Amino acid sequence: MESYFAAAYWPSRRETLEGCAERATYFLSDLAGISDTLRGWRKKAKSRKAALAQKVISAEDSNDMRALLENGRSRRDMDRSVIEELGYGIGLWNGQAGSDEASLSVRCGVYDVSGMSNAVVLSLPRSFDLTSGKGVLALARSFAEAWEPERFILTSFSRNGEEVDKAQAKGQSWQPFLDIALYLQKPLVPSFQARTGDAIYELNHGRVFLSHSLSPAD
């Protein structure tokens, strides 16, 4: 069965620990309102049993996320000092199994690092309804509003691999494409042409495109 993910990416942007924690907490709160499978997040561990023993992260108080992101900072091997420019990162799991299982990775606050960007990647549960325009639009808005990314995609892992290969064959690192959903900040909007029947929604900082295959979002 095909697997899908939703992801937001943005280039160098220095942020404080508090700023990233607030963004992440707002994001978790928003996700919980989209689907019951997108709640109950806890830190990943070496085994399912160990992960289930982890505390569920509060979607109301940023202190939980602040502590996790602080622990997830990259450190130098020699003296364990923090590598500031690599920002803050954490891997989460929703505590569910089978078709309801999902994982989430956050990398925020990266700046001045060649070849590395900020990214939030949600491996979607197989039970998530990818035909619902309303649900997909809510997910895209959640990513865009919480993280203010340069771009967001919702696609299958296989389709994304194909598009990456196409871009690399042209000497490009990435080019916009629409599978299920695509968001672009305003400066990037002219680089993409929607197909007939695709839905378009304006946000404060950019534009969301939804595939014509989805049910109406409004």
Side-chain angles (χ1 to χ4, degrees), residues 21-22 31 43 45 63 65 73 81 83 101-102 114 127 133 145 149 154 162-163 166 173 182 196 200 209 212 217-218:
E22 288 176 5
L31 290 182
K43 186 179 178 181
N63 285 332
M65 184 58 71
R73 301 185 79 175
S81 60
I83 306 175
E101 184 172 13
S114 178
S127 60
E145 291 172 0
L154 198 170
E162 292 170 2
E163 295 295 336
K166 289 179 184 177
S173 58
L182 170 70
T196 301
I200 301 173
F209 303 89
H212 63 275
D218 48 20

Side-chain angles (χ1 to χ4, degrees), residues 31-48:
L31 290 182
I34 295 173
S35 170
D36 287 341
T37 61
L38 301 180
R39 61 174 70 221
W41 298 100
R42 62 206 75 198
K43 186 179 178 181
K44 286 184 176 180
K46 292 182 179 180
S47 69
R48 180 178 293 271

Side-chain angles (χ1 to χ4, degrees), residues 10-196:
W10 62 101
S12 177
R13 188 168 74 200
R14 188 170 188 172
E15 296 195 57
T16 64
L17 173 60
E18 290 74 15
C20 287
E22 288 176 5
R23 286 184 186 276
T25 303
Y26 173 84
F27 183 57
L28 294 191
S29 178
D30 232 26
L31 290 182
I34 295 173
S35 170
D36 287 341
T37 61
L38 301 180
R39 61 174 70 221
W41 298 100
R42 62 206 75 198
K43 186 179 178 181
K44 286 184 176 180
K46 292 182 179 180
S47 69
R48 180 178 293 271
K49 181 178 179 180
L52 282 170
Q54 301 279 348
K55 177 184 177 183
V56 173
I57 301 165
S58 172
E60 308 298 330
D61 185 344
S62 63
N63 285 332
D64 281 357
M65 184 58 71
R66 185 184 189 283
L68 289 171
L69 290 174
E70 174 67 31
N71 289 335
R73 301 185 79 175
S74 297
R75 296 179 180 273
R76 296 177 178 86
D77 293 333
M78 292 288 289
D79 59 3
R80 304 305 297 160
S81 60
V82 170
I83 306 175
E84 296 285 349
E85 60 270 28
L86 293 184
Y88 317 92
I90 188 67
L92 306 176
W93 172 58
N94 68 344
Q96 301 192 45
S99 63
D100 289 335
E101 184 172 13
S103 62
L104 176 67
S105 67
V106 174
R107 174 59 63 181
C108 176
V110 175
Y111 67 97
D112 294 342
V113 180
S114 178
M116 184 175 181
S117 66
N118 297 280
V120 176
V121 181
L122 171 63
S123 293
L124 286 161
R126 294 195 304 275
S127 60
F128 189 85
D129 186 0
L130 291 170
T131 68
S132 168
K134 184 176 181 180
V136 169
L137 179 60
L139 191 61
R141 279 178 169 160
S142 182
F143 272 86
E145 291 172 0
W147 301 105
E148 298 179 276
E150 180 182 73
R151 54 192 171 92
F152 160 88
I153 57 171
L154 198 170
T155 185
S156 68
F157 284 95
S158 62
R159 174 67 185 278
N160 185 64
E162 292 170 2
E163 295 295 336
V164 168
D165 289 343
K166 289 179 184 177
Q168 290 178 344
K170 297 178 181 179
Q172 302 170 333
S173 58
W174 182 83
Q175 54 186 7
F177 70 94
L178 174 59
D179 184 6
I180 305 296
L182 170 70
Y183 164 83
L184 299 172
Q185 273 192 340
K186 287 180 180 178
L188 292 180
V189 167
S191 67
F192 179 75
Q193 182 64 48
R195 300 163 298 193
T196 301

